Amino acid sequence: MAFEKICTLDDVWEGDMEMFATSDGTDVLVIYAQGGELKAFQSMCPHQEFELIEGTLEDNVLTCRAHLWQFDVRDGCGINPSDCNLAIYPTKIEGDEVYVDIDGIEPFKSHT
Ligand code: FES
């Protein structure tokens, strides 16, 4: 697979997140960090695979609603706990269209 259009810049405002599906049905969490960049992440929490879209996003910190694990949405690194992170899918923006390439990238799964 290669880059495919997943959304437009109008779909995700700065400081916000939305979930989209690729053509093969893979869910991708698109997050536009406050003062940062738009990135595409794995959609499921690496802890016990709850959907991260159901969490909260505040000050560039994504908190999973299930057990409150937290991630920095500027780089996907775990904050609490710090020994985990989110997989990031390559993105590119052409005009107002957002493209993502999920090929070869597996979502992280962490300890339970
Ligand atoms: S499933 Fe996300 S913190 Fe447990």
Coordinates of all heavy atoms in Angstrom, one line a residue, residues 2-101:
A2 N 0.3 2.3 -0.4 CA 1.1 3.6 -0.4 C 0.2 4.6 0.3 O -0.8 4.3 1.0 CB 1.4 4.0 -1.8
F3 N 0.6 5.9 0.1 CA -0.2 6.9 0.7 C -1.6 7.0 0.1 O -1.8 6.8 -1.1 CB 0.5 8.3 0.4 CG 1.6 8.6 1.4 CD1 2.9 8.4 1.0 CD2 1.4 9.1 2.6 CE1 4.0 8.7 1.8 CE2 2.4 9.4 3.5 CZ 3.7 9.2 3.1
E4 N -2.5 7.2 1.0 CA -3.9 7.3 0.5 C -4.5 8.5 1.3 O -4.2 8.7 2.5 CB -4.7 6.1 0.7 CG -5.0 5.6 2.1 CD -5.9 4.4 2.2 OE1 -7.2 4.7 2.1 OE2 -5.5 3.3 2.3
K5 N -5.5 9.2 0.7 CA -6.2 10.3 1.3 C -7.0 9.8 2.4 O -7.8 8.8 2.2 CB -7.0 11.0 0.3 CG -7.7 12.2 0.9 CD -8.7 12.9 -0.1 CE -9.5 13.9 0.6 NZ -10.6 14.5 -0.3
I6 N -6.9 10.4 3.6 CA -7.7 9.9 4.7 C -8.7 11.0 5.2 O -9.7 10.7 5.8 CB -6.8 9.4 5.9 CG1 -7.6 8.6 6.9 CG2 -6.0 10.6 6.5 CD1 -6.8 7.7 7.7
C7 N -8.3 12.3 5.0 CA -9.2 13.4 5.4 C -8.7 14.7 4.8 O -7.8 14.7 4.0 CB -9.3 13.5 6.9 SG -7.8 13.9 7.7
T8 N -9.4 15.8 5.2 CA -8.9 17.1 4.8 C -8.5 17.9 6.0 O -8.9 17.5 7.1 CB -9.9 17.9 4.0 OG1 -11.0 18.3 4.9 CG2 -10.5 17.0 2.8
L9 N -7.8 19.0 5.8 CA -7.4 19.8 6.9 C -8.6 20.4 7.7 O -8.6 20.7 8.8 CB -6.5 20.9 6.5 CG -5.1 20.5 6.0 CD1 -4.3 21.7 5.5 CD2 -4.3 19.8 7.2
D10 N -9.7 20.5 6.9 CA -11.0 21.0 7.6 C -11.6 20.0 8.5 O -12.4 20.4 9.4 CB -12.0 21.3 6.5 CG -11.7 22.7 5.9 OD1 -11.0 23.5 6.4 OD2 -12.3 22.9 4.8
D11 N -11.2 18.8 8.4 CA -11.8 17.7 9.3 C -11.2 17.7 10.7 O -11.8 17.1 11.6 CB -11.6 16.3 8.6 CG -12.3 16.2 7.3 OD1 -13.5 16.7 7.3 OD2 -11.8 15.5 6.4
V12 N -10.0 18.2 10.8 CA -9.3 18.1 12.2 C -8.7 19.5 12.5 O -7.7 19.9 11.8 CB -8.2 17.1 12.2 CG1 -7.6 16.9 13.6 CG2 -8.6 15.7 11.7
W13 N -9.3 20.2 13.4 CA -8.8 21.5 13.8 C -7.6 21.4 14.8 O -7.5 20.4 15.5 CB -10.0 22.3 14.4 CG -11.0 22.6 13.4 CD1 -11.9 21.6 12.8 CD2 -11.4 23.8 12.9 NE1 -12.7 22.3 12.0 CE2 -12.5 23.6 12.0 CE3 -11.0 25.1 13.1 CZ2 -13.1 24.6 11.3 CZ3 -11.6 26.2 12.4 CH2 -12.6 25.9 11.5
E14 N -6.9 22.5 14.8 CA -5.7 22.5 15.8 C -6.2 22.3 17.2 O -7.2 22.9 17.6 CB -5.0 23.8 15.7 CG -3.8 23.9 16.5 CD -3.0 25.2 16.3 OE1 -3.3 25.9 15.4 OE2 -2.1 25.4 17.1
G15 N -5.6 21.3 17.9 CA -6.0 21.0 19.2 C -7.1 20.0 19.3 O -7.6 19.7 20.4
D16 N -7.4 19.3 18.1 CA -8.5 18.4 18.1 C -8.0 17.0 17.5 O -6.9 16.9 17.0 CB -9.6 19.0 17.2 CG -10.9 18.4 17.5 OD1 -11.0 17.5 18.4 OD2 -11.9 18.7 16.8
M17 N -8.8 16.0 17.6 CA -8.5 14.7 17.0 C -9.8 14.1 16.5 O -10.9 14.4 16.9 CB -7.9 13.8 18.1 CG -8.9 13.5 19.3 SD -8.0 12.4 20.5 CE -9.3 12.4 21.8
E18 N -9.6 13.3 15.5 CA -10.7 12.5 14.8 C -10.1 11.2 14.4 O -9.0 11.0 14.1 CB -11.2 13.3 13.6 CG -11.9 14.6 13.9 CD -13.3 14.4 14.6 OE1 -13.8 13.3 14.5 OE2 -13.7 15.3 15.2
M19 N -11.0 10.2 14.3 CA -10.6 8.9 13.8 C -11.2 8.7 12.4 O -12.3 9.0 12.1 CB -11.1 7.8 14.7 CG -10.5 6.5 14.5 SD -10.7 5.3 15.9 CE -12.4 4.9 15.7
F20 N -10.4 8.1 11.5 CA -10.7 7.8 10.2 C -10.3 6.4 9.8 O -9.4 5.8 10.5 CB -10.1 8.8 9.2 CG -10.4 10.2 9.5 CD1 -9.5 11.0 10.3 CD2 -11.5 10.8 9.0 CE1 -9.8 12.3 10.5 CE2 -11.8 12.2 9.3 CZ -10.9 12.9 10.0
A21 N -10.9 5.8 8.8 CA -10.5 4.5 8.4 C -9.8 4.5 7.0 O -10.3 5.3 6.1 CB -11.7 3.6 8.4
T22 N -8.8 3.7 6.8 CA -8.2 3.6 5.5 C -9.0 2.7 4.6 O -10.0 2.1 5.1 CB -6.8 3.0 5.6 OG1 -6.9 1.7 6.2 CG2 -5.9 3.9 6.5
S23 N -8.6 2.5 3.4 CA -9.4 1.7 2.5 C -9.5 0.2 2.9 O -10.4 -0.5 2.5 CB -8.9 1.8 1.0 OG -7.5 1.4 1.0
D24 N -8.5 -0.2 3.7 CA -8.5 -1.6 4.1 C -9.2 -1.8 5.5 O -9.1 -2.8 6.1 CB -7.1 -2.2 4.1 CG -6.2 -1.7 5.3 OD1 -6.6 -0.8 6.0 OD2 -5.2 -2.3 5.5
G25 N -9.7 -0.7 6.0 CA -10.5 -0.7 7.2 C -9.7 -0.5 8.5 O -10.2 -0.6 9.6
T26 N -8.4 -0.1 8.3 CA -7.6 0.2 9.5 C -8.0 1.6 10.0 O -8.0 2.6 9.3 CB -6.1 0.2 9.1 OG1 -5.7 -1.0 8.6 CG2 -5.2 0.6 10.3
D27 N -8.3 1.6 11.3 CA -8.6 2.9 12.0 C -7.3 3.7 12.3 O -6.3 3.1 12.8 CB -9.4 2.7 13.2 CG -10.8 2.2 13.0 OD1 -11.4 2.6 12.0 OD2 -11.3 1.4 13.8
V28 N -7.4 4.9 12.0 CA -6.2 5.8 12.2 C -6.7 7.0 13.0 O -7.7 7.6 12.7 CB -5.6 6.3 10.9 CG1 -4.5 7.3 11.1 CG2 -5.1 5.1 10.1
L29 N -6.0 7.4 14.0 CA -6.3 8.6 14.9 C -5.5 9.7 14.4 O -4.3 9.7 14.5 CB -6.1 8.3 16.3 CG -6.5 9.3 17.3 CD1 -8.0 9.5 17.3 CD2 -6.0 9.0 18.7
V30 N -6.2 10.7 13.8 CA -5.5 11.9 13.3 C -5.6 13.0 14.4 O -6.7 13.3 14.8 CB -6.1 12.4 12.0 CG1 -5.4 13.7 11.5 CG2 -5.9 11.3 10.9
I31 N -4.4 13.5 14.8 CA -4.4 14.5 15.9 C -3.6 15.7 15.4 O -2.5 15.6 14.9 CB -3.8 14.0 17.2 CG1 -4.5 12.8 17.7 CG2 -3.7 15.1 18.2 CD1 -4.0 12.1 18.9
Y32 N -4.2 16.9 15.5 CA -3.5 18.1 15.2 C -3.1 18.8 16.5 O -3.9 19.4 17.2 CB -4.4 19.0 14.4 CG -3.8 20.2 13.7 CD1 -4.5 20.9 12.7 CD2 -2.6 20.7 14.1 CE1 -3.9 22.0 12.0 CE2 -2.0 21.8 13.5 CZ -2.7 22.4 12.4 OH -2.1 23.5 11.8
A33 N -1.8 18.6 16.8 CA -1.3 19.2 18.1 C -1.4 20.7 18.2 O -1.2 21.4 17.2 CB 0.1 18.7 18.3
Q34 N -1.7 21.2 19.4 CA -1.8 22.6 19.6 C -0.4 23.2 19.4 O 0.5 22.8 20.0 CB -2.3 22.9 21.0 CG -2.7 24.3 21.3 CD -4.2 24.5 20.7 OE1 -5.0 23.7 20.9 NE2 -4.3 25.7 20.1
G35 N -0.3 24.1 18.4 CA 1.0 24.8 18.1 C 1.9 23.8 17.5 O 3.1 24.1 17.4
G36 N 1.4 22.7 17.0 CA 2.3 21.7 16.4 C 1.9 21.3 15.1 O 1.4 22.1 14.3
E37 N 2.0 20.0 14.8 CA 1.8 19.4 13.5 C 0.6 18.4 13.6 O 0.3 17.9 14.7 CB 3.0 18.6 13.0 CG 4.2 19.4 12.8 CD 5.4 18.5 12.4 OE1 5.2 17.7 11.5 OE2 6.4 18.6 13.1
L38 N 0.0 18.1 12.4 CA -0.9 17.1 12.3 C -0.2 15.8 12.1 O 0.7 15.6 11.3 CB -1.8 17.4 11.1 CG -3.0 16.4 10.9 CD1 -4.2 17.2 10.3 CD2 -2.6 15.3 9.9
K39 N -0.6 14.8 12.9 CA 0.0 13.5 12.9 C -1.0 12.4 12.9 O -2.1 12.6 13.4 CB 1.0 13.2 14.0 CG 2.3 14.1 14.0 CD 3.2 13.7 15.1 CE 4.4 14.7 15.2 NZ 5.2 14.7 14.0
A40 N -0.7 11.2 12.4 CA -1.6 10.1 12.4 C -1.1 9.0 13.3 O 0.1 8.5 13.1 CB -1.8 9.6 11.0
F41 N -1.9 8.5 14.2 CA -1.4 7.5 15.2 C -2.3 6.2 15.1 O -3.4 6.3 14.6 CB -1.6 8.1 16.6 CG -0.8 9.3 16.9 CD1 -1.3 10.6 16.7 CD2 0.6 9.2 17.3 CE1 -0.5 11.7 17.0 CE2 1.3 10.3 17.6 CZ 0.8 11.6 17.5
Q42 N -1.8 5.2 15.7 CA -2.6 4.0 15.9 C -3.8 4.5 16.7 O -3.8 5.4 17.6 CB -1.8 3.0 16.7 CG -1.5 3.3 18.1 CD -0.7 2.2 18.8 OE1 0.5 2.1 18.6 NE2 -1.3 1.4 19.7
S43 N -5.0 3.8 16.5 CA -6.2 4.2 17.1 C -6.5 3.6 18.4 O -7.3 4.1 19.2 CB -7.4 3.9 16.1 OG -7.5 2.5 16.0
M44 N -5.8 2.5 18.7 CA -6.1 1.8 19.9 C -5.0 2.0 21.0 O -3.8 2.1 20.6 CB -6.2 0.3 19.6 CG -7.2 -0.1 18.5 SD -8.9 0.4 18.9 CE -9.4 -1.1 19.7
C45 N -5.4 2.1 22.2 CA -4.4 2.3 23.3 C -3.5 1.0 23.4 O -4.0 -0.1 23.3 CB -5.2 2.5 24.6 SG -4.1 2.7 26.0
P46 N -2.2 1.2 23.5 CA -1.3 0.1 23.6 C -1.5 -0.7 24.9 O -1.0 -1.9 25.0 CB 0.1 0.7 23.6 CG -0.1 2.1 23.9 CD -1.5 2.5 23.5
H47 N -2.3 -0.2 25.9 CA -2.5 -0.9 27.1 C -3.4 -2.1 26.9 O -3.0 -3.3 26.8 CB -3.0 0.0 28.2 CG -3.2 -0.6 29.5 ND1 -4.2 -0.3 30.4 CD2 -2.6 -1.7 30.1 CE1 -4.2 -1.0 31.4 NE2 -3.2 -1.9 31.3
Q48 N -4.7 -1.8 26.7 CA -5.7 -2.9 26.6 C -6.6 -2.6 25.4 O -7.8 -3.1 25.4 CB -6.5 -3.2 27.8 CG -5.6 -3.7 28.9 CD -6.4 -4.1 30.2 OE1 -7.5 -3.8 30.3 NE2 -5.7 -4.6 31.2
E49 N -6.1 -1.8 24.5 CA -6.7 -1.6 23.2 C -8.1 -1.0 23.2 O -9.0 -1.3 22.4 CB -6.8 -2.9 22.4 CG -5.4 -3.5 22.2 CD -5.4 -4.8 21.3 OE1 -6.1 -4.8 20.3 OE2 -4.7 -5.7 21.7
F50 N -8.3 -0.1 24.1 CA -9.5 0.8 24.1 C -9.3 1.8 23.0 O -8.1 2.2 22.7 CB -9.7 1.5 25.4 CG -10.5 0.6 26.4 CD1 -9.9 -0.5 26.9 CD2 -11.7 1.0 26.8 CE1 -10.6 -1.3 27.8 CE2 -12.4 0.2 27.8 CZ -11.9 -0.9 28.3
E51 N -10.4 2.3 22.4 CA -10.2 3.3 21.4 C -9.8 4.7 22.0 O -10.5 5.2 22.8 CB -11.5 3.5 20.6 CG -11.8 2.3 19.7 CD -13.0 2.5 18.8 OE1 -13.8 3.5 19.0 OE2 -13.2 1.7 17.9
L52 N -8.7 5.2 21.5 CA -8.2 6.4 22.1 C -9.1 7.6 21.7 O -9.0 8.6 22.4 CB -6.8 6.7 21.6 CG -5.7 5.7 22.2 CD1 -4.4 5.8 21.4 CD2 -5.5 6.0 23.6
I53 N -9.9 7.5 20.7 CA -10.8 8.7 20.3 C -11.8 8.9 21.5 O -12.3 10.0 21.6 CB -11.5 8.4 19.0 CG1 -12.2 9.6 18.5 CG2 -12.5 7.2 19.2 CD1 -11.3 10.7 18.0
E54 N -12.0 7.9 22.3 CA -12.9 8.1 23.4 C -12.2 8.8 24.6 O -12.9 9.1 25.7 CB -13.5 6.8 23.9 CG -14.3 6.1 22.8 CD -14.9 4.8 23.2 OE1 -14.9 4.5 24.4 OE2 -15.4 4.1 22.4
G55 N -10.9 9.0 24.5 CA -10.2 9.7 25.6 C -10.3 11.2 25.5 O -11.1 11.7 24.7
T56 N -9.5 11.9 26.3 CA -9.5 13.4 26.3 C -8.2 13.9 25.7 O -7.2 13.3 25.9 CB -9.8 13.9 27.7 OG1 -8.8 13.4 28.6 CG2 -11.2 13.5 28.2
L57 N -8.3 15.1 25.1 CA -7.1 15.7 24.6 C -7.0 17.1 25.2 O -7.9 17.9 24.9 CB -7.1 15.8 23.0 CG -6.0 16.5 22.3 CD1 -4.7 15.8 22.7 CD2 -6.2 16.5 20.8
E58 N -6.0 17.3 25.9 CA -5.8 18.6 26.6 C -4.4 19.0 26.7 O -3.6 18.2 27.2 CB -6.5 18.6 28.0 CG -6.6 19.9 28.7 CD -7.5 19.8 29.9 OE1 -8.3 18.9 30.1 OE2 -7.2 20.7 30.8
D59 N -4.0 20.2 26.3 CA -2.6 20.7 26.3 C -1.7 19.6 25.7 O -0.6 19.4 26.2 CB -2.2 21.0 27.8 CG -3.0 22.1 28.4 OD1 -3.4 23.0 27.6 OD2 -3.2 22.1 29.6
N60 N -2.1 19.1 24.6 CA -1.3 18.1 23.8 C -1.0 16.8 24.6 O -0.1 16.1 24.2 CB 0.1 18.7 23.4 CG -0.1 19.7 22.2 OD1 -1.1 19.6 21.5 ND2 0.8 20.7 22.1
V61 N -1.8 16.5 25.5 CA -1.8 15.3 26.3 C -3.1 14.5 26.0 O -4.2 15.0 26.3 CB -1.6 15.5 27.8 CG1 -1.6 14.1 28.5 CG2 -0.2 16.2 28.0
L62 N -2.9 13.3 25.4 CA -4.1 12.4 25.2 C -4.1 11.5 26.4 O -3.2 10.8 26.7 CB -3.9 11.7 23.9 CG -4.8 10.6 23.6 CD1 -6.3 11.1 23.5 CD2 -4.4 9.9 22.3
T63 N -5.3 11.4 27.0 CA -5.5 10.5 28.1 C -6.5 9.5 27.7 O -7.7 9.8 27.4 CB -6.0 11.3 29.4 OG1 -5.0 12.3 29.7 CG2 -6.2 10.4 30.6
C64 N -6.2 8.2 27.8 CA -7.1 7.1 27.5 C -8.1 7.1 28.6 O -7.8 7.2 29.8 CB -6.3 5.8 27.4 SG -7.4 4.4 27.2
R65 N -9.4 6.9 28.2 CA -10.4 7.0 29.3 C -10.5 5.7 30.1 O -11.1 5.7 31.2 CB -11.8 7.2 28.6 CG -12.4 6.0 27.9 CD -13.9 6.3 27.6 NE -14.4 5.1 26.9 CZ -15.0 4.1 27.6 NH1 -15.1 4.1 28.9 NH2 -15.4 3.0 26.9
A66 N -9.9 4.6 29.6 CA -10.0 3.4 30.3 C -9.3 3.3 31.6 O -9.8 3.1 32.7 CB -9.6 2.2 29.4
H67 N -8.0 3.6 31.6 CA -7.1 3.5 32.8 C -6.2 4.7 32.9 O -5.2 4.6 33.6 CB -6.3 2.2 32.8 CG -7.1 1.0 32.4 ND1 -7.2 0.4 31.2 CD2 -8.0 0.3 33.2 CE1 -8.0 -0.6 31.2 NE2 -8.5 -0.7 32.4
L68 N -6.5 5.7 32.1 CA -5.8 7.0 32.2 C -4.4 7.0 31.8 O -3.6 7.9 32.3 CB -6.0 7.6 33.6 CG -7.5 7.7 34.1 CD1 -7.5 8.3 35.5 CD2 -8.4 8.4 33.1
W69 N -3.9 6.1 31.0 CA -2.6 6.2 30.4 C -2.6 7.5 29.6 O -3.6 7.9 28.9 CB -2.3 5.0 29.5 CG -1.8 3.8 30.3 CD1 -2.2 3.5 31.5 CD2 -1.0 2.7 29.8 NE1 -1.6 2.3 31.9 CE2 -0.9 1.8 30.8 CE3 -0.4 2.5 28.6 CZ2 -0.2 0.6 30.7 CZ3 0.4 1.3 28.4 CH2 0.5 0.4 29.5
Q70 N -1.4 8.2 29.5 CA -1.3 9.4 28.9 C -0.1 9.4 27.8 O 0.9 8.8 28.1 CB -1.0 10.6 29.9 CG -2.2 10.8 30.8 CD -2.0 11.9 31.8 OE1 -1.0 12.0 32.4 NE2 -3.0 12.8 31.8
F71 N -0.4 10.2 26.8 CA 0.6 10.2 25.6 C 0.7 11.7 25.2 O -0.2 12.4 25.1 CB 0.1 9.4 24.5 CG -0.2 8.0 24.9 CD1 -1.5 7.6 25.3 CD2 0.8 7.0 24.8 CE1 -1.8 6.3 25.7 CE2 0.5 5.7 25.2 CZ -0.8 5.3 25.6
D72 N 2.0 12.0 24.8 CA 2.2 13.3 24.2 C 1.9 13.3 22.7 O 2.6 12.5 22.0 CB 3.7 13.7 24.5 CG 4.0 15.1 24.0 OD1 3.4 15.6 23.1 OD2 4.9 15.7 24.7
V73 N 1.0 14.0 22.3 CA 0.5 13.9 20.9 C 1.5 14.6 19.9 O 1.3 14.6 18.7 CB -0.9 14.4 20.7 CG1 -1.9 13.6 21.5 CG2 -1.0 15.9 20.9
R74 N 2.5 15.2 20.4 CA 3.5 15.8 19.5 C 4.5 14.8 19.0 O 5.0 14.9 17.9 CB 4.3 16.9 20.2 CG 3.4 18.2 20.5 CD 4.1 19.1 21.4 NE 4.4 18.5 22.7 CZ 4.9 19.1 23.8 NH1 5.2 20.4 23.7 NH2 5.1 18.4 24.9
D75 N 4.7 13.7 19.8 CA 5.6 12.7 19.3 C 5.1 11.2 19.6 O 5.8 10.3 19.3 CB 7.0 12.9 19.9 CG 6.9 12.9 21.5 OD1 5.9 12.5 22.1 OD2 7.9 13.4 22.1
G76 N 4.0 11.1 20.2 CA 3.4 9.8 20.5 C 4.0 9.1 21.7 O 3.7 7.9 22.0
C77 N 4.9 9.7 22.4 CA 5.6 9.1 23.6 C 4.7 9.0 24.8 O 3.9 10.0 25.1 CB 6.9 9.9 23.9 SG 8.2 9.7 22.7
G78 N 4.8 7.9 25.5 CA 4.1 7.8 26.7 C 4.6 8.7 27.8 O 5.8 9.0 27.9
I79 N 3.6 9.3 28.5 CA 4.0 10.2 29.7 C 3.8 9.4 30.9 O 4.6 9.4 31.8 CB 3.0 11.4 29.6 CG1 3.3 12.3 28.4 CG2 3.2 12.3 30.9 CD1 2.3 13.4 28.2
N80 N 2.7 8.7 31.0 CA 2.4 7.9 32.2 C 1.6 6.6 31.7 O 0.4 6.7 31.4 CB 1.6 8.7 33.2 CG 1.3 7.9 34.5 OD1 2.0 6.9 34.8 ND2 0.3 8.2 35.2
P81 N 2.3 5.5 31.6 CA 3.7 5.3 31.9 C 4.6 5.8 30.8 O 4.1 6.0 29.7 CB 3.8 3.8 32.1 CG 2.7 3.2 31.2 CD 1.6 4.2 31.2
S82 N 5.8 5.9 31.1 CA 6.8 6.4 30.1 C 7.4 5.3 29.2 O 8.2 5.7 28.3 CB 7.9 7.3 30.8 OG 8.6 6.5 31.7
D83 N 7.1 4.1 29.5 CA 7.8 3.0 28.8 C 6.9 2.5 27.7 O 6.9 1.3 27.4 CB 8.2 1.9 29.7 CG 7.1 1.2 30.4 OD1 6.0 1.8 30.4 OD2 7.3 0.1 30.9
C84 N 6.1 3.3 27.1 CA 5.2 2.9 26.0 C 5.1 4.1 25.0 O 5.5 5.2 25.4 CB 3.9 2.5 26.5 SG 2.9 3.8 27.1
N85 N 4.6 3.8 23.9 CA 4.3 4.9 22.9 C 3.3 4.5 21.9 O 3.0 3.3 21.8 CB 5.6 5.5 22.3 CG 6.4 4.4 21.6 OD1 6.3 3.3 21.8 ND2 7.2 4.9 20.6
L86 N 2.9 5.4 21.1 CA 2.0 5.2 20.0 C 2.7 5.1 18.7 O 3.6 5.9 18.4 CB 0.9 6.3 19.9 CG 0.1 6.6 21.2 CD1 -0.8 7.8 20.9 CD2 -0.7 5.3 21.6
A87 N 2.3 4.1 17.8 CA 2.8 4.1 16.5 C 2.3 5.3 15.7 O 1.2 5.7 15.8 CB 2.4 2.8 15.8
I88 N 3.2 5.8 14.9 CA 2.9 7.0 14.1 C 3.0 6.6 12.6 O 4.0 6.0 12.2 CB 3.9 8.2 14.3 CG1 3.8 8.6 15.8 CG2 3.6 9.3 13.4 CD1 4.8 9.7 16.2
Y89 N 2.0 6.9 11.9 CA 2.0 6.6 10.4 C 2.4 7.8 9.7 O 2.0 8.9 10.0 CB 0.5 6.2 10.0 CG -0.1 5.1 10.7 CD1 -1.2 5.3 11.5 CD2 0.4 3.8 10.6 CE1 -1.8 4.2 12.2 CE2 -0.2 2.7 11.2 CZ -1.3 2.9 12.0 OH -1.8 1.9 12.7
P90 N 3.3 7.6 8.7 CA 3.7 8.7 7.9 C 2.5 9.5 7.3 O 1.6 8.8 6.8 CB 4.6 8.1 6.8 CG 5.0 6.8 7.4 CD 3.9 6.3 8.2
T91 N 2.6 10.8 7.3 CA 1.6 11.6 6.7 C 2.2 12.6 5.7 O 3.4 12.9 5.8 CB 0.8 12.4 7.7 OG1 1.7 13.2 8.5 CG2 0.0 11.5 8.6
K92 N 1.4 13.0 4.8 CA 1.8 14.2 3.9 C 0.5 15.0 3.6 O -0.6 14.4 3.6 CB 2.5 13.7 2.7 CG 1.7 12.9 1.7 CD 2.5 12.6 0.4 CE 1.7 11.8 -0.6 NZ 2.4 11.5 -1.8
I93 N 0.7 16.2 3.4 CA -0.4 17.1 3.1 C -0.2 17.7 1.7 O 0.9 18.3 1.4 CB -0.5 18.2 4.2 CG1 -0.8 17.6 5.6 CG2 -1.6 19.2 3.8 CD1 -0.7 18.5 6.7
E94 N -1.2 17.6 0.9 CA -1.1 18.2 -0.4 C -2.4 19.1 -0.6 O -3.5 18.6 -0.6 CB -1.1 17.1 -1.5 CG 0.2 16.3 -1.5 CD 0.2 15.3 -2.6 OE1 -0.8 15.1 -3.3 OE2 1.3 14.6 -2.7
G95 N -2.2 20.4 -0.7 CA -3.3 21.3 -0.6 C -4.0 21.2 0.7 O -3.3 21.4 1.7
D96 N -5.3 20.9 0.7 CA -5.9 20.7 2.0 C -6.2 19.2 2.3 O -7.0 18.9 3.2 CB -7.2 21.5 2.1 CG -8.3 21.0 1.2 OD1 -8.0 20.2 0.3 OD2 -9.5 21.3 1.5
E97 N -5.6 18.3 1.5 CA -5.8 16.9 1.6 C -4.7 16.2 2.5 O -3.5 16.5 2.2 CB -6.0 16.3 0.3 CG -7.2 16.8 -0.5 CD -7.3 16.1 -1.9 OE1 -6.4 15.6 -2.4 OE2 -8.5 16.1 -2.3
V98 N -5.1 15.4 3.4 CA -4.2 14.7 4.2 C -4.1 13.2 3.8 O -5.1 12.5 3.6 CB -4.7 14.7 5.7 CG1 -3.7 14.0 6.6 CG2 -4.9 16.2 6.2
Y99 N -2.9 12.8 3.6 CA -2.6 11.4 3.1 C -1.8 10.7 4.2 O -1.0 11.3 5.0 CB -1.8 11.4 1.9 CG -2.5 12.0 0.7 CD1 -2.6 13.4 0.5 CD2 -3.1 11.2 -0.2 CE1 -3.3 13.9 -0.6 CE2 -3.8 11.7 -1.3 CZ -3.9 13.1 -1.5 OH -4.5 13.6 -2.6
V100 N -2.1 9.4 4.3 CA -1.4 8.6 5.3 C -0.9 7.3 4.7 O -1.6 6.8 3.7 CB -2.3 8.3 6.5 CG1 -3.6 7.5 6.1 CG2 -1.6 7.6 7.7
D101 N 0.2 6.7 5.2 CA 0.7 5.5 4.7 C 0.9 4.5 5.9 O 1.7 4.8 6.7 CB 2.0 5.7 4.0 CG 2.6 4.4 3.4 OD1 1.9 3.3 3.5 OD2 3.7 4.4 2.8

